[in-house]
């Protein structure tokens, strides 16, 4: 039976619970229906075409409708779509992809535990960290330090790791004594009169003080995104990550790099930690760009030093008792292998290194608008923070919906951006051309110009 657009909209309202739904307007407004996609564009149910300025959700790195990935998925599904991965059974794509990841990622990050996304990978990593220290005879070493405004997922534990307070209203929280937060590395909001180097010193000292307060024997790990994504695209001060890593080493802690957003080309590298920020994590979390968003897949990737501990037999008959039905799903891993092959063939990382400065440079022109307080980011991820008074860096109240107004103005002009509080986020496909960059920044400029009078009057 053919379903009209009105049917789809009605059924969507009646049956589909969306992530991050605004129920104040959802039932009356319904959803925009994304019907098709091609290249860097998404087409809605009315045939209107939009530049996908957020690459789906940081993930459609190679663009929509790439036949190489589609064909790899279809071929694997026809050959063998699934087989139980538990115990001593494997499949070819999962094994080969794990070996490729070990080759691409830094240091001794050689051991891959597949999940279905970033949240589940972070959740699994925390459980494995605790297991690791138990196996080392250090059962008190359990506490995890995260950061304010960090985003690490929406499972019960990763929601606790997440430091964005607006995501927690009316939800219960677990692990309150387990997870602790230190300040975000937010250069724009640093104390007045404090330069970048002093701010870095302040953050590192705060981190060490928190470890000492909690007791080094009790603290297991620090988790951090190289650049904060959903928290507002925050680039840490120079030297921050390497120094935080050194503190972890000093107190026998593990460093978890959440590279769900930044790995696989977003910053022009396979991963950002070592190449751009000068440290090698003990655990790296990846997802999103791993399959260019074509099939759900995530992974927690562990160092050989951790693996040597967790792979030591516990006791006779015991097994490593954690995992998922879809761990190492053959179709998802085939999509991952095709994605990596395309990135190598087209030298996507080099393209991002070339196009990124143009993109950032064009966006910097938005600083001319009175309501734009900050334009920040790196390569193909950017955040534009809107403020009521930029001299005092005074934010708009949530009721103003500043970034949402820009989102609507952009959408009317054929561009999809992501509003997060007072920050407009851009994270386009990595295959963006110079013309795509110029069109995106032109529309952003027109949208901000349109909404500025109303925002100043709010």
């Amino acid at each position: 039976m053919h379903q009209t657009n009105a049917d789809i909209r009605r059924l969507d309202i009646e049956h589909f619970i969306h992530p991050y739904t605004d129920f104040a307007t959802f039932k009356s407004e319904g959803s925009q229906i994304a019907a098709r996609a091609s290249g860097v564009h998404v087409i809605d149910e009315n045939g209107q075409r939009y530049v996908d300025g957020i690459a789906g959700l940081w993930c459609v790195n190679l663009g929509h409708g790439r036949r190489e990935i589609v064909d790899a998925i279809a071929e694997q599904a026809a050959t063998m779509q699934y087989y139980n991965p538990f115990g001593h059974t494997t499949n070819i794509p999962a094994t080969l992809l794990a070996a490729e990841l070990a080759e691409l990622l830094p240091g001794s990050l050689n051991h891959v535990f597949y999940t279905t996304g970033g949240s589940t990978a972070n959740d699994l990593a925390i459980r494995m960290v605790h297991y690791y220290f138990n196996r080392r005879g250090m059962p008190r070493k359990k506490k995890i330090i995260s950061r304010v405004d960090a985003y690490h997922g929406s499972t019960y534990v990763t929601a606790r790791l997440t430091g964005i307070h607006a995501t927690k209203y009316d939800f219960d929280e677990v692990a309150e004594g387990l997870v602790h937060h230190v300040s975000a590395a937010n250069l724009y909001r640093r104390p007045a009169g404090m330069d970048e180097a002093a701010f870095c010193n302040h953050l590192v000292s705060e981190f060490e003080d928190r470890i000492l307060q909690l007791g080094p024997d009790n603290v297991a790990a620090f988790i951090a995104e190289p650049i904060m994504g959903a928290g507002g695209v925050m680039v840490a001060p120079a030297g921050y990550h390497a120094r935080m890593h050194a503190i972890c080493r000093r107190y026998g802690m593990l460093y978890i790099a959440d590279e769900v957003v930044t790995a696989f080309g977003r910053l022009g590298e396979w991963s950002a930690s070592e190449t751009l920020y000068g440290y090698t994590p003990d655990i790296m979390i990846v997802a999103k760009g791993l399959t260019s968003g074509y099939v759900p897949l995530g992974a927690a990737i562990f160092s050989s030093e951790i693996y040597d501990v967790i792979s030591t037999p516990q006791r006779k008959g015991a097994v490593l008792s954690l995992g998922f039905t879809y761990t190492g799903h053959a179709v998802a891993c085939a999509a991952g292998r095709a994605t990596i092959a395309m990135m190598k063939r087209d030298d996507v990382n080099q393209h991002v290194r070339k196009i990124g400065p143009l993109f950032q440079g064009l966006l910097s022109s938005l600083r001319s608008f009175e309501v734009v307080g900050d334009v920040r980011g790196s390569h193909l991820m950017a955040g534009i923070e809107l403020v009521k008074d930029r001299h005092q860096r005074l934010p708009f109240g949530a009721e103003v919906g500043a970034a949402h107004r820009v989102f609507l103005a952009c959408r009317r002009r054929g561009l999809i951006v992501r509003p997060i509080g007072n920050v407009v986020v851009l994270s386009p496909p990595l295959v963006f051309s110079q013309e795509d960059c110029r069109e995106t920044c032109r529309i952003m400029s027109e949208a901000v110009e349109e909404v500025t009078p109303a925002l100043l009057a709010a």
Side-chain angles (χ1 to χ4, degrees), residues 58-81:
W58 313 94
C59 59
V60 185
N61 287 1
L62 298 184
H64 300 275
R66 301 301 297 266
R67 289 304 313 178
E68 298 95 323
I69 305 176
V70 173
D71 290 345
I73 290 168
E75 182 179 352
Q76 184 58 49
T79 302
M80 185 192 75
Q81 86 289 357

Side-chain angles (χ1 to χ4, degrees), residues 57-61 115-123 151-153 158 223-230 256-267 270-273 283-293 297-301 381:
L57 197 61
W58 313 94
C59 59
V60 185
N61 287 1
T115 68
T116 54
S119 292
T120 47
N122 274 320
D123 198 292
Y151 185 82
H152 296 298
T158 58
I223 183 169
E225 305 152 271
I227 294 179
M228 283 184 164
I256 306 170
D258 184 343
E259 292 223 34
V260 167
V261 167
T262 54
F264 301 101
R266 179 63 49 194
L267 301 179
W270 292 109
S271 63
S273 298
I283 303 169
M284 184 178 291
I285 308 300
V286 299
K288 294 190 183 292
L290 176 56
T291 65
S292 200
L297 182 65
I301 306 171
M381 60 187 299

Side-chain angles (χ1 to χ4, degrees), residues 128 148 154 245 426:
M128 195 74 90
V148 173
S154 59
H245 181 265
L426 288 160

Side-chain angles (χ1 to χ4, degrees), residues 233-299:
V233 189
M234 295 180 202
V235 181
Y240 168 85
H241 287 290
R243 291 180 64 186
M244 297 293 268
H245 181 265
I247 294 291
C248 289
R249 283 289 174 268
R250 182 180 304 167
Y251 294 106
M253 296 165 52
L254 299 176
Y255 195 113
I256 306 170
D258 184 343
E259 292 223 34
V260 167
V261 167
T262 54
F264 301 101
R266 179 63 49 194
L267 301 179
E269 304 289 343
W270 292 109
S271 63
S273 298
E274 182 182 63
T275 308
L276 298 181
Y277 298 107
Y279 73 101
T280 302
D282 302 288
I283 303 169
M284 184 178 291
I285 308 300
V286 299
K288 294 190 183 292
L290 176 56
T291 65
S292 200
Y294 279 65
V295 182
L297 182 65

Side-chain angles (χ1 to χ4, degrees), residues 71-382:
D71 290 345
I73 290 168
E75 182 179 352
Q76 184 58 49
T79 302
M80 185 192 75
Q81 86 289 357
Y82 175 81
Y83 191 77
N84 164 22
F86 281 38
H88 299 187
T89 301
T90 192
N91 66 70
I92 295 169
T95 298
L96 294 179
L97 178 59
E100 289 183 62
L101 292 173
E103 181 180 351
L104 292 172
L105 299 181
S108 66
L109 290 169
N110 294 325
H111 305 276
V112 180
F113 200 119
Y114 293 111
T115 68
T116 54
S119 292
T120 47
N122 274 320
D123 198 292
L124 179 134
I126 299 306
R127 193 174 181 205
M128 195 74 90
V129 165
H130 291 162
Y131 180 77
Y132 165 80
F133 282 115
N134 288 343
R135 298 288 290 135
R136 288 188 58 193
M138 306 168 74
R140 290 173 51 198
K141 215 163 174 61
K142 292 288 190 290
K143 297 182 186 295
I144 311 296
I145 297 179
S146 181
R147 299 182 293 173
V148 173
D149 290 329
Y151 185 82
H152 296 298
S154 59
T155 64
Y156 233 147
V157 170
T158 58
R160 179 66 185 174
L161 290 173
T162 292
I164 303 171
H165 298 305
T167 64
K168 303 173 187 292
Y169 296 143
D170 294 326
F171 282 100
D172 286 349
E173 292 194 53
V174 295
E176 291 191 30
L178 177 69
V179 178
H180 301 264
H181 294 84
V182 292
S183 298
N186 187 342
L187 272 169
Y188 181 61
R189 295 286 175 188
R190 68 185 184 271
M194 185 178 285
D195 66 17
E196 182 172 345
F199 184 51
C200 188
N201 290 338
H202 168 74
L203 294 172
V204 173
S205 294
E206 179 198 18
F207 179 53
E208 185 167 18
D209 288 345
R210 183 62 58 86
I211 295 168
L212 294 173
Q213 176 192 37
L214 296 171
D217 291 343
N218 300 319
V219 185
F222 174 58
I223 183 169
E225 305 152 271
I227 294 179
M228 283 184 164
V233 189
M234 295 180 202
V235 181
Y240 168 85
H241 287 290
R243 291 180 64 186
M244 297 293 268
H245 181 265
I247 294 291
C248 289
R249 283 289 174 268
R250 182 180 304 167
Y251 294 106
M253 296 165 52
L254 299 176
Y255 195 113
I256 306 170
D258 184 343
E259 292 223 34
V260 167
V261 167
T262 54
F264 301 101
R266 179 63 49 194
L267 301 179
E269 304 289 343
W270 292 109
S271 63
S273 298
E274 182 182 63
T275 308
L276 298 181
Y277 298 107
Y279 73 101
T280 302
D282 302 288
I283 303 169
M284 184 178 291
I285 308 300
V286 299
K288 294 190 183 292
L290 176 56
T291 65
S292 200
Y294 279 65
V295 182
L297 182 65
I301 306 171
F302 297 91
S303 69
S304 293
E305 292 76 15
I306 293 176
Y307 182 76
D308 287 346
V309 172
I310 66 174
S311 64
T312 301
Q314 297 171 318
R315 59 188 63 85
K316 188 174 182 179
V319 298
L320 181 65
S321 53
L322 75 170
F324 308 96
T325 300
Y326 295 121
T327 292
H329 193 282
V331 172
C333 291
R337 295 196 68 217
T339 298
I340 290 171
M342 288 182 64
M343 289 186 67
K344 289 180 175 179
R345 184 197 69 193
D346 298 341
D347 203 356
V348 170
N349 287 328
Q350 179 61 24
H351 173 72
V352 173
R353 290 194 287 270
K354 288 182 177 179
I355 204 83
L358 171 67
F359 186 63
Q360 296 292 328
L362 290 168
L363 286 175
S364 68
S365 67
L366 296 172
R367 295 178 187 274
S368 63
F369 293 102
E370 192 173 349
V371 295
V372 174
D374 195 27
V375 179
R376 56 181 178 258
S378 182
H379 296 79
L380 291 183
M381 60 187 299

